[in-house]
Amino acid sequence: MHHFTYQEGRLHAEQVGLAEIAREVGTPAYVYSQATLTRHFQAFARAFSGLDALVCYAVKANTNRAIVSLFASLGGGADIVSGGELHRALAAGVAPSRIVYSGVGKGEAEMAAALKAGILLFNLESPQEMEVLDQVAGVLGVKAPVSIRVNPDVDAQTHPKITTGLAKNKFGMDMATAFAQYQAAAKLPHLEIKGVSCHIGSQLTDVRPFADALERLAGLVERLAGSGIRPGILDLGGGLGITYNQEQPPQPDDYAGALKQTVSRLGMRLVLEPGRVLVGNAGILLTRVLYTKRTPVKRFLVVDAAMNDLIRPSFYDSYHAIWAERQRPGLETAVADVVGPICETGDFLARDRELPRLERGDLLAVMSAGAYGFAMSSNYNSRPRVAEVLVNGRRWAVVRDRETYEDLCRGESLPPWMD
Ligand SMILES: *Cc1c(COP(=O)(O)O)cnc(C)c1O
């Protein structure tokens, strides 16, 4: 469900015409719908009502300050994976007591910053990281609140690049290691055991892997209790999928329903780290057709957005629906590739897609681009990163300026011997 709809044949974000945004801020631009973001957050949070649950938005999915602030104002926390995301979350007004910190490679300075801020939980991913955090906390004279991220070895049945809970993945610790490391953590002076965590992957379209992972974690929690260790927090990560094309992912209620019984039985405080499901369908990438091109074997729509703006199609083979801004009933369709200006064959937004016969100057919306869209964008081919716009009813605002050419070169200099 989202609020991008045709009104009198023109595509709108809530009550604002996308043509108006294109005119004012140019293209390409990301456009987000606040009503959609709010609705997704509330539906997700409501699904877990009745449990002691904290929704920590996975900031990496979309780091825009307006979005992180919106979720904070709705009662959300943040799941962060770097010192930069800690900075962003705090700047956006997320309470430190609602921040959880995941990731296999936390640096000492990043750990120290998070300890000073007073975050809720560190999800530890290796024995060595655990020792380093103990030392960093010792230097600061504090105790670090920790959880071990368990790798439950369940198959999330998603794209290989976004599955994280298989034994061969770099994430977390296997069950036996996790159990041993909880015993070790209990003996370290500057750690306080607070939780048990997992995160098995992204864009999951079935509740089974979540339920399987929870069962394995529950087994660990019970074994830990037998050894006198009773973590109070159960962090089940993120990963709930969305509809890009024909997928039928579980609704938040189904997802919560599959977990509730076990969580209640354990009597722990639940932490969830949803990213994509909150923001994915709340954003589009607005782009303009630069050229239509026909070769002997193919048709191309060359648009002004490219893989540096939205890398998901080339990186994950992802499908994004493409909608024309203007509906023209009766217009012939044709199969075409939608490609960008970048000098890479991998630069495409859609392949072999049946689309209306669009013309130079027409606007397109690349749908479901709110998650891992702008956040994964780069300056490749010296393309300034695009503007981000937030729509709220009839109002809209630029929430990140389009970069300038000066921005592109910031920080570069010649070495003294070339002066
Ligand atoms: C990426 C990530 C998430 C969010 O995943 P989604 O699929 O966007 O919900 C949550 N937790 C951790 C540890 C992550 O790395």
Side-chain angles (χ1 to χ4, degrees), residues 194-308:
K194 288 277 194 189
V196 176
S197 308
C198 73
H199 169 71
I200 57 173
S202 198
Q203 183 56 13
L204 273 73
T205 52
D206 186 359
V207 294
R208 267 303 288 277
F210 290 115
D212 290 349
L214 174 59
E215 279 316 312
R216 294 188 194 182
L217 257 62
L220 176 64
V221 168
E222 279 152 14
R223 264 185 82 202
L224 287 173
S227 70
I229 294 174
R230 295 177 194 283
I233 297 175
L234 183 63
D235 177 348
L236 291 178
L240 189 57
I242 63 170
T243 300
Y244 286 100
N245 187 7
Q246 304 292 331
E247 307 90 330
Q248 294 191 316
Q251 294 300 300
D253 281 338
D254 309 326
Y255 170 64
L259 309 175
K260 262 185 175 167
Q261 216 181 351
T262 307
V263 174
S264 307
R265 173 165 61 79
L266 295 171
M268 297 167 80
R269 180 178 191 204
L270 185 60
V271 168
L272 298 150
E273 304 171 349
R276 187 190 313 271
V277 71
L278 300 185
V279 295
N281 280 320
I284 59 123
L285 175 59
L286 185 60
T287 180
R288 198 180 284 281
V289 177
L290 294 173
Y291 302 106
T292 60
K293 173 171 175 174
R294 246 187 120 155
T295 70
V297 292
K298 270 200 134 156
R299 272 174 197 279
F300 294 95
L301 286 173
V302 183
V303 299
D304 62 4
M307 65 185 290
N308 72 300

Side-chain angles (χ1 to χ4, degrees), residues 180-193:
Q181 288 301 308
Y182 272 107
Q183 313 304 315
K187 297 194 186 81
L188 288 174
H190 307 294
L191 300 185
E192 187 173 356
I193 296 172

Side-chain angles (χ1 to χ4, degrees), residues 48-276:
F48 288 93
S49 62
L51 292 176
D52 179 9
L54 175 62
V55 178
C56 292
Y57 165 58
V59 171
K60 75 172 188 286
N62 187 320
T63 54
N64 189 281
R65 181 168 177 165
I67 289 178
V68 183
S69 281
L70 174 69
F71 291 146
S73 75
L74 296 171
D79 167 48
I80 60 166
V81 293
S82 69
E85 287 190 359
L86 173 68
H87 177 84
R88 281 186 184 280
L90 295 173
V94 181
S97 62
R98 291 170 174 247
I99 295 178
V100 299
Y101 189 175
S102 312
V104 294
K106 304 175 196 77
E108 290 171 59
E110 292 177 310
M111 289 173 174
L115 285 167
K116 286 184 193 152
I119 67 166
L120 176 65
L121 200 63
F122 287 86
N123 287 329
L124 297 174
E125 308 221 10
S126 67
Q128 196 169 39
E129 182 198 8
M130 190 169 101
E131 282 173 33
V132 171
L133 181 61
D134 179 64
Q135 286 160 17
V136 173
V139 170
L140 292 175
V142 296
K143 280 202 165 206
V146 301
S147 176
I148 289 179
R149 175 169 174 181
V150 177
N151 183 326
D153 194 21
V154 296
D155 187 353
Q157 310 207 319
T158 182
H159 189 278
K161 281 195 183 119
I162 50 176
T163 195
T164 57
L166 284 175
K168 67 178 180 188
N169 298 140
K170 72 176 175 179
F171 297 99
M173 302 186 209
D174 65 90
M175 283 291 168
T177 304
F179 184 78
Q181 288 301 308
Y182 272 107
Q183 313 304 315
K187 297 194 186 81
L188 288 174
H190 307 294
L191 300 185
E192 187 173 356
I193 296 172
K194 288 277 194 189
V196 176
S197 308
C198 73
H199 169 71
I200 57 173
S202 198
Q203 183 56 13
L204 273 73
T205 52
D206 186 359
V207 294
R208 267 303 288 277
F210 290 115
D212 290 349
L214 174 59
E215 279 316 312
R216 294 188 194 182
L217 257 62
L220 176 64
V221 168
E222 279 152 14
R223 264 185 82 202
L224 287 173
S227 70
I229 294 174
R230 295 177 194 283
I233 297 175
L234 183 63
D235 177 348
L236 291 178
L240 189 57
I242 63 170
T243 300
Y244 286 100
N245 187 7
Q246 304 292 331
E247 307 90 330
Q248 294 191 316
Q251 294 300 300
D253 281 338
D254 309 326
Y255 170 64
L259 309 175
K260 262 185 175 167
Q261 216 181 351
T262 307
V263 174
S264 307
R265 173 165 61 79
L266 295 171
M268 297 167 80
R269 180 178 191 204
L270 185 60
V271 168
L272 298 150
E273 304 171 349
R276 187 190 313 271

